Amino acid sequence: MNFAKIPASDFDLAMTLHSGQVFHWQEAGGGFVGTIGELPAYVEQQREVLCAKVASASSRFLEKNAQDARATIAHYFALDHPLQAICNSFPKDPVMNGARDFCRGLRIIRQPKWECLATFICSSMKQVAHIRQISFALRKRFGEQRKMGKHLVYAFPSASRLARAFEKELRECKLGYRAKNLRATARLVSRGEANLEAWSALADAELRRQLCVLPGVGPKIANCVMLFAYERLRAFPIDVWIERVLRQQYFPRRKKMTAQRLREFSETYFGEHGGYAQQYLFHHARTVRRK
């Protein structure tokens, strides 16, 4: 296994992986080990270069997408996003300015659609640490094991595999009531009734509507999937952290601000890259709160 070296200016690998988008990457050595689809990968950052290893250049993931390891990793971490221009498009207010400066280098990852959808169904009413535990439990029990150097990693289980699981087995992965929703959605996807790939052609409003029909998916999860799996960079998920930021920082004197009004505000105020703005506000708020 040789290192592939990938130019990565204006990118912060650690911040991106710790920002609550994905939940399975583990720190290892000077970098991180995880999977990109079915591809086991090790990635570390050396200033403005990513040094990456993959277990096999002939994995099914690479064959399917006809990409080499370098292109796959660059695509996954969205190194082609014009980050400076995106950040310049944010509203120029003190709250957004602070989040932008704090999160410089954070990018929106391009995630596999089923993996993203299933993970965020599992995320409902859960903190990031708990979501990581659930993700690992599902991968280890139902996913395919891969080897990355001396590390074992697990691909996220397919929809057909989770559709065959018993609800009791899923509950043993700490899903609680989410197990029923995950299994039901997995069945729809595995039968082709929910064609996640075909939905890429849908306009935002119709994509959101289709996602919200799925068991366990509401507006917040739908927006997460739109942002992280479908690259709809205008999508603005509102969870408890973002709702708190919006209410306290943008509407401190309006005690009866409705959730609908917050959604309408966020869709217009933060513009075409609202998803990036949301992720910066989210990571900044969580990090400052922890400190």
Side-chain angles (χ1 to χ4, degrees):
M1 294 185 296
N2 297 319
F3 272 114
K5 295 191 175 182
I6 305 148
S9 61
D10 209 2
F11 179 55
D12 190 313
L13 174 65
M15 183 181 295
T16 296
L17 291 178
H18 287 314
S19 65
Q21 302 179 59
V22 289
F23 307 94
H24 66 283
W25 289 85
Q26 302 289 331
E27 293 186 19
F32 297 84
V33 63
T35 59
I36 301 175
E38 296 181 0
L39 174 69
Y42 171 82
V43 187
E44 68 178 52
Q45 185 164 14
Q46 297 179 5
R47 296 187 179 180
E48 294 191 347
V49 173
L50 286 184
C51 297
K53 290 181 180 181
V54 298
S56 171
S58 61
S59 71
R60 291 199 302 269
F61 182 85
L62 289 179
E63 288 175 353
K64 178 181 178 182
N65 292 280
Q67 297 174 328
D68 61 15
R70 185 178 288 102
T72 299
I73 290 167
H75 180 267
Y76 181 74
F77 289 113
L79 298 182
D80 57 321
H81 280 174
L83 196 60
Q84 187 61 50
I86 289 171
C87 290
N88 287 340
S89 75
F90 294 163
K92 303 301 189 292
D93 64 64
V95 179
M96 193 70 250
N97 289 343
R100 182 196 61 222
D101 294 343
F102 182 83
C103 296
R104 191 168 298 280
L106 193 164
R107 290 175 179 266
I108 299 295
I109 293 172
R110 294 183 174 108
Q111 299 184 38
K113 295 177 178 62
W114 163 246
E115 177 183 319
C116 181
L117 171 62
T119 301
F120 278 97
I121 288 175
C122 298
S123 76
S124 177
M125 303 301 290
K126 287 288 187 180
Q127 296 180 1
V128 169
H130 298 147
I131 304 168
R132 291 182 65 86
Q133 293 170 2
I134 292 171
S135 174
F136 179 75
L138 286 172
R139 289 167 179 271
K140 187 174 183 181
R141 183 157 188 170
F142 301 106
E144 294 188 21
Q145 180 178 289
R146 300 279 191 265
K147 196 167 185 181
M148 183 64 247
K150 63 181 180 180
H151 301 281
L152 291 178
V153 295
Y154 301 87
F156 194 83
S158 66
S160 60
R161 178 64 188 93
L162 292 183
R164 298 194 305 271
F166 293 106
E167 185 177 329
K168 179 177 180 294
E169 293 178 300
L170 295 175
R171 284 181 175 270
E172 289 171 353
C173 294
K174 309 299 183 184
L175 268 74
Y177 69 87
R178 303 160 195 82
K180 182 177 181 180
N181 291 330
L182 179 61
R183 185 167 177 255
T185 295
R187 289 183 167 185
L188 292 173
V189 173
S190 64
R191 292 197 298 256
E193 296 177 37
N195 190 331
L196 301 184
E197 293 301 327
W199 288 359
S200 296
L202 299 177
D204 286 358
E206 179 61 15
L207 175 58
R208 186 179 291 108
R209 189 188 72 80
Q210 293 283 5
L211 287 168
C212 285
V213 171
L214 299 174
V217 179
K220 181 258 181 178
I221 291 176
N223 277 322
C224 285
V225 176
M226 290 174 65
L227 177 59
F228 301 130
Y230 287 90
E231 205 173 356
R232 306 302 173 91
L233 299 184
R234 195 181 188 96
F236 194 97
I238 298 179
D239 69 346
V240 292
W241 285 100
I242 292 300
E243 182 173 347
R244 184 180 297 127
V245 169
L246 294 178
R247 291 185 183 278
Q248 293 180 352
Q249 302 297 331
Y250 290 95
F251 301 99
R253 299 179 182 177
R254 297 182 62 174
K255 304 302 181 183
K256 295 183 179 181
M257 192 73 172
T258 66
Q260 176 62 29
R261 180 68 184 92
L262 288 178
R263 285 195 295 270
E264 292 170 354
F265 167 77
S266 65
E267 288 173 1
T268 56
Y269 182 73
F270 294 101
E272 61 178 327
H273 298 114
Y276 259 98
Q278 184 272 354
Q279 193 63 19
Y280 280 37
L281 290 169
F282 174 80
H283 184 63
H284 184 223
R286 285 180 61 245
T287 305
V288 170
R289 181 68 176 266
R290 285 200 303 268
K291 290 181 178 179

